[in-house]
Amino acid sequence: IIILAAGHFRQTQICHVVAVILNIGISIASVYWLGLVGIAIGTLVAMTYQMIWMGVYVSKNLLQRPVRHLVKRIAVDAVCLCLIFVSTAWINLPSLNYGSWIWMAFKVAGVALLDAFVVSFIFYPKECKSLFKFVRFR
């Protein structure tokens, strides 16, 4: 969104072309052996490339801030993802009906929100405190 708002679509167009080539190439090369999983891997690789490339571009050219901020954000998100995965492993689906599925979704969402809050408060305490002040005075 930042790239489009700044009008830098032409400067970043090569990133999209490379991502498409990666996605199609990996998907075609792996679909025979892995089926749909191969296509998912191709998409994951292409999206990861595009995310990193655009994050670096935005950091350097639009926000003029060090790339280490991007690296820290990605690392914090990875820690949060791992924590959510580990802390929701105990939640299972007891029966196959809509009520059970919705109840499980609420449990997973609650644990995930709590985990995300804790990780954010550990790594970004100043931003979390200012958010609480903003919400409290609304």
Side-chain angles (χ1 to χ4, degrees), residues 75-94:
V76 169
D77 288 346
V79 166
C80 190
L81 178 69
C82 291
L83 181 64
I84 289 170
F85 182 76
V86 169
S87 63
T88 58
W90 61 272
I91 300 173
N92 59 5
L93 189 60

Side-chain angles (χ1 to χ4, degrees), residues 49-121:
Y49 164 78
Q50 190 171 6
M51 178 191 68
I52 292 170
W53 194 96
M54 289 185 154
V56 170
Y57 182 86
V58 168
S59 291
K60 287 183 175 179
N61 299 313
L62 298 177
L63 299 178
Q64 285 84 33
R65 69 179 191 172
V67 178
R68 65 183 161 84
H69 291 288
L70 172 67
V71 173
K72 180 182 178 185
R73 172 46 69 190
I74 291 173
V76 169
D77 288 346
V79 166
C80 190
L81 178 69
C82 291
L83 181 64
I84 289 170
F85 182 76
V86 169
S87 63
T88 58
W90 61 272
I91 300 173
N92 59 5
L93 189 60
S95 61
L96 295 175
N97 63 46
Y98 288 115
S100 296
W101 187 87
I102 291 170
W103 179 241
M104 181 187 68
F106 275 117
K107 288 193 275 189
V108 169
V111 171
L113 284 171
L114 182 65
D115 290 348
F117 169 75
V118 169
V119 170
S120 295
F121 197 78

